């Protein structure tokens, strides 16, 4: 079903009209009516009479113009959302540009659109701003897993970051992070936690495990997530098998709204048990040749296991595209024979975050780069995870493979200006 929001575009650049018209013609689900005006004065008048859902204004070097404008829009059309249009070449990492972004956020600017405008980016913005988030059902949570057949690609970094970001959007105790890294868990140190119990205890107690006991085996992080830690050594890990893991995860999703599972680089029965229960699996890959070859082999295996393509997302993490000799996004997509859904850029401060146990997503910026990309991944996740229709609760079976529904995501957005 198509929806027709109104978009008001403000600016004197003649290219704006052309860019918006082209971008609008490529939209799915949305069929917006776009009004163009040249001055902020005209914009306020149009906003008052037409009450557009979205007002887009060019981000100027002087943020005060935007601030005054946003205040006027707020007074005349309080339900309209102000979005700043920017050109990446004018918005780098320099002090000046950085402060423009901060000022824009202070001026109640809710989002940003990159110019020249691309259809997928506009699609993503409308999805983000105007689509109602899916109500999370209290009785059955979502299981989200991060997988790869290569080590060190960022599965734990992604799991911890996504779990923290989801947790901070919800009341405490609604998100469980499960560290299934049987060889050596890393979620606990990443969160500066030292859980006295682990997944191995849940496995040992499988016959009397209930919601209360499961919660008791976890440890709470200040952002509100609960962590079920990895076993401390190989002896403990030996108590965990596919069946114990399935039972624990099945109970976990009755206890929590979101269950985020960090895995280890191997495709064995344990990972298959996790996939069987996952509402979404993120395949994490880095853009180096061995990594991409690994992922290219993993994807068909996952498909052949009966895991629906529409529940799979590909994350290109730690993007080295700008490094000399780095594979480009089109290279990666061509070798994978699949689209990349999310690009997570390199963030040098992750090392400090790792060593101090203070997750970057909670303490670093979300305006650009790594923080922004994770925020967008979580936006997509929380608004787009399918209902429980096809997920078997106790005895997962192979499922058909409908054509994958794209999430309206433009991964290329993470490359420019970030
Ligand atoms: N986007 C990124 N930018 C910079 N560093 C990153 C990024 N993602 C991950 N790293 C770093 O890469 C290293 C490996 O990450 P991580 O431990 O998350 O990988 P993994 O896939 O979980 O590894 P394993 O397979 O051993 O469990 C860590 O030092 C982490 O800080
Ligand atoms: Mg790991």
């Amino acid at each position: 079903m198509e929806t027709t929001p109104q978009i008001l575009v403000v600016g004197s650049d003649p290219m704006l009209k052309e860019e918006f018209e082209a971008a609008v013609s490529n939209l799915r689900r949305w069929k917006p009516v776009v009004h163009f005006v040249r001055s902020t004065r005209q914009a306020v008048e149009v906003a008052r009479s037409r009450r557009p859902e979205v007002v887009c204004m060019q981000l100027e070097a002087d943020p005060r113009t935007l601030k005054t404008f946003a205040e006027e829009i707020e007074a005349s059309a309080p339900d309209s959302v102000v979005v700043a249009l920017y050109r990446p070449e004018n918005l780098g990492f320099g002090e000046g540009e950085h402060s423009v972004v901060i000022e824009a956020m202070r001026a109640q600017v809710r989002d940003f659109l990159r110019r020249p405008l691309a259809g997928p980016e506009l699609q993503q913005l409308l999805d983000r701003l105007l689509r109602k988030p899916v109500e999370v059902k209290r009785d059955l949570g979502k299981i989200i897993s991060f997988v790869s057949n290569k080590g060190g690609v960022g599965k734990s970094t992604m799991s911890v970051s996504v779990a923290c970001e989801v947790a901070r959007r919800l009341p405490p105790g609604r998100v469980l992070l499960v560290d299934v890294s049987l060889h050596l868990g890393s979620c606990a140190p990443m969160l500066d936690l030292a859980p006295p119990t682990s997944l191995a205890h849940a496995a040992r107690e499988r016959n009397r495990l209930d919601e209360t006991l499961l919660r008791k085996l976890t440890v709470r992080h200040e952002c509100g997530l609960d962590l079920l830690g990895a076993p401390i050594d190989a002896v403990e890990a030996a108590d965990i098998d596919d069946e114990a893991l399935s039972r624990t995860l099945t109970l976990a999703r009755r206890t929590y709204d979101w269950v985020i599972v960090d895995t280890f680089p191997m495709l064995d029965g344990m990972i298959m048990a996790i996939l069987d229960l996952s509402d979404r699996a993120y395949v994490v890959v880095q853009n180096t040749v061995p990594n991409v070859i690994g992922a290219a082999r993993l994807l068909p295996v996952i498909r052949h296991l009966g895991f629906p393509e529409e529940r799979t997302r590909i994350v290109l993490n730690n993007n080295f595209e700008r490094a000399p000799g780095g594979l480009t996004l089109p290279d990666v997509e061509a070798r994978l024979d699949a689209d990349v859904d999310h690009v997570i850029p390199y963030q040098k401060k992750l090392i400090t975050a790792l060593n101090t146990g203070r997750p970057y997503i909670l303490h670093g910026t979300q305006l650009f780069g790594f923080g922004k990309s994770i925020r967008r991944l979580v936006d997509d996740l929380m608004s787009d995870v399918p209902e429980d229709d096809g997920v078997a609760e106790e005895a997962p079976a192979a499922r058909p493979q409908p054509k994958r529904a794209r999430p309206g995501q433009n991964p290329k957005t993470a490359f420019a200006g970030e």
Side-chain angles (χ1 to χ4, degrees), residues 155-157 181 183-184 186 262-263:
K155 295 178 293 300
S156 304
T157 307
S181 316
H183 57 307
L184 185 63
S186 46
D262 181 20
T263 69

Side-chain angles (χ1 to χ4, degrees), residues 122-134:
L122 182 61
Q123 169 90 39
Q124 203 186 350
L125 178 104
L126 295 176
D127 286 351
R128 213 166 39 241
L129 295 180
L130 306 181
R131 259 168 74 183
K132 290 202 177 73
V134 175

